Amino acid sequence: MSARHEPHAGHRSVSGGLARASVFGVSDGLVSNVSLILGFAGSGVDNSVVRLAGLAGAVAGAISMAAGEWVSVTSQNDLIRRELAVERRELEHNAEAETDELAAIYESHGIDPERAAAAAADVMKNSDIALEVHAREELGVAPDDLPPAMKAAALSFVCFIFGAFLPLGPFYVWTGGTAAMVALTIGVIAAAAVGGVVAKFAERPLWFGIARQVAIVLVACGVTYAIGEIAGVSLS
């Protein structure tokens, strides 16, 4: 006999783009700034220069990240609203065709043709419900649940700043190679934490999420540190 499974308590909220904004913000802030800082450190410049570069990179990157998130979400919402306007016009002027279209969609989900036609006709009786159902079935969106652009931008800004400042702290305490090694260690630990959290919520193997994020940080830092050493030698 197969084991009886208890019904799950509910799905996590994955809509709205806020989870993406927070994860991308922390990850991008961490990777971009730790690699930037180590690139400057590799060139052999004074700690004050490294701190200035890290601070500028954190602020500039956070602003750019927030602006990009706002433009991206706003543009996506504008496109969705345009498609919803088209769908609303079709429901008003071509109700019969839209009813047949919805019935066909229900049939493709395995519903009996007669029941599919009856269900589609019931949905079409209310224009607001009809728009919501057609939007979900045809566009894969909920008309009343579009991601908030300003919230996504603000969250991206804060998370980027947080991730970017983590590897900058050691250069206010130590100097030279010690500061660089501590910054790299913090970057690796933070990257592992981000990868672990993402893997846990996505229910993917923990080791894979951690290894992927750590590998990204190590590759980025290795490349920029090498460039810093080469540029530092040539400039000096």
Side-chain angles (χ1 to χ4, degrees):
M1 295 179 63
S2 60
R4 183 177 183 272
H5 294 282
E6 294 295 329
H8 59 72
H11 293 289
R12 298 187 184 97
S13 176
V14 295
S15 63
L18 298 183
R20 182 198 67 174
S22 59
V23 172
F24 281 4
V26 172
S27 181
D28 286 3
L30 176 66
V31 173
S32 64
N33 224 35
V34 71
S35 55
L36 173 67
I37 289 168
L38 291 182
F40 272 81
S43 69
V45 297
D46 187 75
N47 255 32
S48 61
V49 177
V50 177
R51 290 195 295 265
L52 176 61
L55 181 61
V59 175
I63 293 173
S64 176
M65 184 83 180
E69 190 71 29
W70 185 84
V71 170
S72 174
V73 175
T74 300
S75 299
Q76 175 182 295
N77 287 348
D78 288 343
L79 290 173
I80 292 173
R81 291 189 184 97
R82 186 263 177 190
E83 292 301 317
L84 290 175
V86 171
E87 191 64 32
R88 187 179 290 108
R89 187 166 60 248
E90 289 299 308
L91 289 171
E92 182 179 351
H93 297 291
N94 296 305
E96 184 176 347
E98 290 295 313
T99 303
D100 292 341
E101 183 179 28
L102 185 59
I105 292 174
Y106 286 157
E107 285 185 48
S108 70
H109 292 334
I111 300 177
D112 179 83
E114 291 186 5
R115 291 183 179 179
D122 285 341
V123 168
M124 294 293 290
K125 291 177 181 178
N126 186 299
S127 59
D128 292 334
I129 294 177
L131 177 62
E132 181 176 352
V133 172
H134 276 269
R136 289 180 183 276
E137 293 290 347
E138 296 181 37
L139 306 176
V141 299
D144 297 326
D145 192 28
L146 299 183
M150 286 304 298
K151 283 186 178 180
L155 191 58
S156 291
F157 182 90
V158 171
C159 291
F160 189 100
I161 285 286
F162 174 75
F165 268 93
L166 286 176
L168 183 57
F171 287 90
Y172 286 92
V173 181
W174 296 281
T175 60
T178 302
M181 284 304 300
V182 175
L184 179 60
T185 302
I186 291 175
V188 169
I189 293 173
V194 171
V197 169
V198 173
K200 178 177 176 59
F201 277 96
E203 296 185 354
R204 302 192 66 180
L206 190 64
W207 67 266
F208 176 79
I210 293 174
R212 180 176 60 181
Q213 289 299 121
V214 170
I216 292 172
V217 167
L218 291 177
V219 170
C221 290
V223 171
T224 55
Y225 190 84
I227 293 174
E229 280 197 324
I230 295 171
V233 170
S234 63
L235 290 175
S236 62

